[in-house]
């Protein structure tokens, strides 16, 4: 007599995980949405010609203020907006101009970081929800075993054990992916912030040289 081999698809496993898997699915969709939106915004904010500051310097040294402002408006980038602010307020003291640029930079960074807390919450919360499914699954398994009396059958326990194990795996998968996605975005924002800091230094040097 041949032994029947049973197989389960990912969908079958998810169904056996119970209602907790629906929550994890919603969290995974939300994580993908946040990641996709943020990576698009960060990539867009990072797009600027590598010779941008050199071009600004040339325009400023030649006294072409309008040309420098037009060059800033050409790019939808935090660096370009910071430089535009500096040029607009070039008549102020160097300390004031630097403060204006830094304030503008802080606003831009806050805009890019908005929503990242949600991704961090998913990274930390998804495994906990998965563990909740583990607890409820084991409770279900022991409940079935208690109600079976002396006729304990492994099939009575299988549903609860499936739910316990599958939700744990699902929660960890969602949490791990969200964790790495969060840190990837934080790294991209940090790299852009470093470029913005360098732009402040370069712009202050440009304004100082243009006054000579």
């Amino acid at each position: 007599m041949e032994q029947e081999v049973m197989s389960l698809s990912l969908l079958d496993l998810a169904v056996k995980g119970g209602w907790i898997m629906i929550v994890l699915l919603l969290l995974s969709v939300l994580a993908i949405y946040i990641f996709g939106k943020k990576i698009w915004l960060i990539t867009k904010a990072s797009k600027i010609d590598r010779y941008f500051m050199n071009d600004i310097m040339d325009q400023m040294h030649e006294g072409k203020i309008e040309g420098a402002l037009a060059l800033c408006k050409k790019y939808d980038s935090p660096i370009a907006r910071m430089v535009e602010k500096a040029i607009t307020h070039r008549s102020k003291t160097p300390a004031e101009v630097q403060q204006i640029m830094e304030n503008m930079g802080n606003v831009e960074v806050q805009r890019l970081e908005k929503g990242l807390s949600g991704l961090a919450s998913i990274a930390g919360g998804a495994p906990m929800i998965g563990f909740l499914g583990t607890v409820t699954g084991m409770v279900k398994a022991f409940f079935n075993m208690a109600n079976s009396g002396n006729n304990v059958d492994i099939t009575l326990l299988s549903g609860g054990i499936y739910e316990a194990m599958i939700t744990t795996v699902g929660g960890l998968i969602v949490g791990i992916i969200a964790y790495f996605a969060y840190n990837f975005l934080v790294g991209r924002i940090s790299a852009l912030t470093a470029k913005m800091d360098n732009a402040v230094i370069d712009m202050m040097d440009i304004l100082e040289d243009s006054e000579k």
Side-chain angles (χ1 to χ4, degrees), residues 88-161:
T88 304
H89 296 88
R90 64 188 182 280
S91 60
K92 297 182 180 293
T93 64
E96 290 175 329
V97 174
Q98 182 175 349
Q99 188 63 52
I100 289 172
M101 291 189 72
E102 290 176 351
N103 291 341
M104 184 71 179
N106 291 335
V107 171
E108 294 288 347
V109 170
Q110 289 175 5
R111 182 176 67 88
L112 293 175
E113 290 179 342
K114 185 178 180 181
L116 285 185
S117 59
L119 197 57
S121 297
I122 293 173
M128 296 177 66
I129 293 174
F131 291 142
L132 174 62
T134 300
V135 174
T136 58
M138 294 307 296
V139 168
K140 179 180 178 181
F142 283 112
F143 177 79
N144 291 336
M145 184 171 62
N147 287 340
S148 65
N150 295 326
N151 300 320
V152 178
D153 189 346
I154 190 64
T155 58
L156 296 175
L157 307 178
S158 61
I161 294 174

Side-chain angles (χ1 to χ4, degrees), residues 74-85:
K74 181 180 176 182
Y75 299 99
D76 185 13
S77 167
I79 293 177
R81 286 189 284 272
M82 290 168 61
V83 171
E84 182 181 3
K85 278 284 185 181

Side-chain angles (χ1 to χ4, degrees), residues 4 12 26 41 46 122 124 147 154 161 182 199-200 207 210:
E4 183 179 357
D12 292 332
L26 294 176
L41 287 174
S46 302
I122 293 173
N147 287 340
I154 190 64
I161 294 174
Y182 172 81
V200 172
L207 291 175
S210 64

Side-chain angles (χ1 to χ4, degrees), residues 10 16 31 59 62 77-78 81 94 99 104 109 111 133 148 151 163-164 170 172 179 186 195 208:
L10 291 177
K16 288 181 179 296
Q59 294 286 339
E62 295 175 7
S77 167
R81 286 189 284 272
Q99 188 63 52
M104 184 71 179
V109 170
R111 182 176 67 88
S148 65
N151 300 320
E163 181 177 333
L172 288 173
Y179 174 79
V186 169
K195 292 181 180 179
E208 183 179 352

Side-chain angles (χ1 to χ4, degrees), residues 6-16 166:
M6 296 182 64
S7 61
L8 286 174
S9 66
L10 291 177
L11 180 59
D12 292 332
L13 289 173
V15 170
K16 288 181 179 296
I166 292 170

